[in-house]
Amino acid sequence: MTKNIDFLDCDPSDINLSSMSLSSSNNAATNQRGNTLTPTTMTVTAQGAGLQALLDGHEASITINDQTFTFGLFSRGINMIVVDTAAANMQKAVAISTFDTHGSECLSGSLAETIAMIPETAVVAIVVVDEASMSLTKRGRAAMASIGARLFPRCGWRDGYALITPVRSPYLAVEAHKPDAEGGLTDQVSLTFEFGAPNVPSALPAESTGELRLIKARSAGRNAGSFAEVVVDGVTERFTEQGLQVVIVLKDRKMPLFKALFQTHVDEKESELLFWFLADQQAKWRRKKDTPAAIVCVAVGDMARRMQPKATTVLQKLGSQLVSHVENGVGFAMIAKLHARESIVEAQAPSDRRHTPTRWINLEL
């Protein structure tokens, strides 16, 4: 069973979870304390529980400051709490969903679509309860990986798993995994963050932090306006020519941006050109470890229609988990450090709402 987050049909950057009440999913989560808090900081703690842990009398739980939500046998699958840090108060910031990816492959798709619609101002807490792997598809696993679930591929039959991740910075995610053979009750993971942070509307320029360069990007598919935007240190580049737009950003502010367009939606030969270009850039900047560089890839309108496996593979080598699941005419955005494979952020627009751009993604270089 699932109760999905009821996102409105709009740009994810404009979504605020304040329209959603603090509620349980099919009575799966129990709010043990009903008081409402509006703190300036928030601590989220999560603990997953596989079947053996439940049989031993334990429950999975997610705690937001002093409010605890518990998940038992009737919450089988992946249980998610989304906290929008831009909401007016905590009571209006929280939404809960349960995806029984043990019992239904369809709910893997629902999981992926929900993750695609979560705004970048959100923090996501996930616990696996009972069993979540049997019907979990590659697309569902890729969506989990895109928000920082590095240990999730280890999550097998009736294992416990817990994740807390800031969608804006998934490389800061904390997680825990416990095999069924070891009892299935994970260690607790915890993350503290600021509550009441401002949203990131499309008109708001990025600001660099100290010596760091702040890079932002988003993508709009064919039915969402066919554009992409890349913002570096507050300066916006807007792209409207269809295809996969690639931008190389160097740490050295004196160096210009390098931009290249590959029309992988029109000509299969463009995938070959993209492959060699990205392979060359990756090798070049990994050799020059004293000159950090980042690569931004954004789909404009469509990039997938004639994209070949060779091009998909080279993007996966940069760390992309989502690229093989991007459908024709759907937005896709990725930022990766060329000298550090684990530093990547990416987003895909939901395939069932093709008029919606991706959320903004952010990376500091």
Side-chain angles (χ1 to χ4, degrees):
M1 300 295 292
T2 180
K3 180 179 179 181
N4 291 324
I5 299 174
D6 185 19
F7 288 110
L8 302 177
D9 290 337
C10 60
D11 185 335
S13 300
D14 300 327
I15 292 173
N16 189 301
L17 301 185
S18 60
S19 62
M20 306 169 200
S21 62
L22 192 64
S23 59
S24 64
S25 176
N26 300 317
N27 296 320
T30 303
N31 184 359
Q32 295 180 340
R33 304 183 67 169
N35 56 312
T36 302
L37 299 176
T38 54
T40 56
T41 62
M42 182 179 291
T43 298
V44 178
T45 303
Q47 184 174 37
L51 179 60
Q52 187 58 54
L54 298 176
L55 295 177
D56 290 341
H58 301 288
E59 291 181 308
S61 64
I62 297 174
T63 300
I64 304 173
N65 283 353
D66 64 348
Q67 295 190 358
T68 297
F69 302 85
T70 57
F71 303 85
L73 280 168
F74 294 103
S75 307
R76 186 178 68 184
I78 293 173
N79 293 267
M80 175 191 299
I81 292 185
V82 179
V83 182
D84 185 5
T85 64
N89 58 66
M90 195 171 75
Q91 185 72 21
K92 295 181 178 181
V94 179
I96 302 174
S97 300
T98 298
F99 304 91
D100 184 4
T101 53
H102 168 85
S104 171
E105 287 190 4
C106 291
L107 294 183
S108 285
S110 298
L111 171 67
E113 293 294 295
T114 298
I115 288 174
M117 287 299 294
I118 295 172
E120 75 275 6
T121 51
V123 172
V124 178
I126 287 174
V127 290
V128 165
V129 179
D130 186 348
E131 211 293 305
S133 66
M134 189 172 77
S135 299
L136 186 62
T137 63
K138 290 182 179 179
R139 183 186 176 202
R141 291 183 180 276
M144 289 285 291
S146 74
I147 57 171
R150 296 178 295 272
L151 296 180
F152 193 67
R154 304 180 190 176
C155 194
W157 178 255
R158 292 178 172 171
D159 289 357
Y161 176 79
L163 168 75
I164 306 173
T165 179
V167 174
R168 188 194 305 272
S169 306
Y171 43 87
L172 299 178
V174 292
E175 55 186 335
H177 167 249
K178 183 67 70 172
D180 174 68
E182 298 177 17
L185 184 67
T186 71
D187 294 334
Q188 290 188 342
V189 294
S190 184
L191 186 68
T192 299
F193 54 91
E194 292 295 319
F195 184 78
N199 205 343
V200 187
S202 59
L204 183 65
E207 296 179 0
S208 58
T209 306
E211 296 300 317
L212 296 175
R213 306 196 75 176
L214 181 58
I215 307 167
K216 295 173 51 183
R218 70 168 179 168
S219 161
R222 191 166 48 238
N223 293 335
S226 292
F227 70 89
E229 292 175 305
V230 176
V231 184
V232 182
D233 299 332
V235 179
T236 301
E237 293 269 359
R238 185 178 175 91
F239 304 98
T240 56
E241 189 173 356
Q242 289 206 45
L244 181 66
Q245 181 69 51
V246 179
V247 180
I248 305 294
V249 183
L250 302 185
K251 176 78 169 182
D252 186 353
R253 285 184 169 82
K254 296 178 182 178
M255 299 297 292
L257 304 181
F258 181 83
K259 292 166 278 189
L261 176 68
F262 299 89
Q263 295 181 319
T264 51
H265 65 301
V266 173
D267 189 345
E268 294 179 0
K269 294 179 181 178
E270 291 286 300
S271 288
E272 184 78 13
L273 296 174
L274 174 64
F275 172 84
W276 288 111
F277 174 80
L278 292 181
D280 177 68
Q281 292 296 318
Q282 193 172 11
K284 175 181 178 180
W285 296 110
R286 284 187 176 174
R287 286 195 303 268
K288 298 182 178 181
K289 294 183 179 180
D290 57 339
T291 310
I295 187 166
V296 186
C297 298
V298 282
V300 182
D302 182 27
M303 72 171 198
R305 182 154 45 96
R306 295 189 181 277
M307 180 175 278
Q308 299 301 295
K310 198 170 186 178
T312 301
T313 298
V314 75
L315 287 166
Q316 289 172 329
K317 287 183 178 179
L318 288 170
S320 176
Q321 300 288 334
L322 297 178
V323 65
S324 61
H325 303 282
V326 177
E327 298 180 6
N328 296 347
V330 173
F332 168 77
M334 179 187 86
I335 310 173
K337 293 182 181 179
L338 287 168
H339 57 288
R341 187 178 186 275
E342 68 279 2
S343 297
I344 178 173
V345 290
E346 58 181 338
Q348 176 185 352
S351 58
D352 64 349
R353 299 186 182 186
R354 293 171 180 261
H355 58 283
T356 305
T358 68
R359 60 175 168 262
W360 282 98
I361 57 174
N362 310 261
L363 187 70
E364 289 181 332
L365 176 64

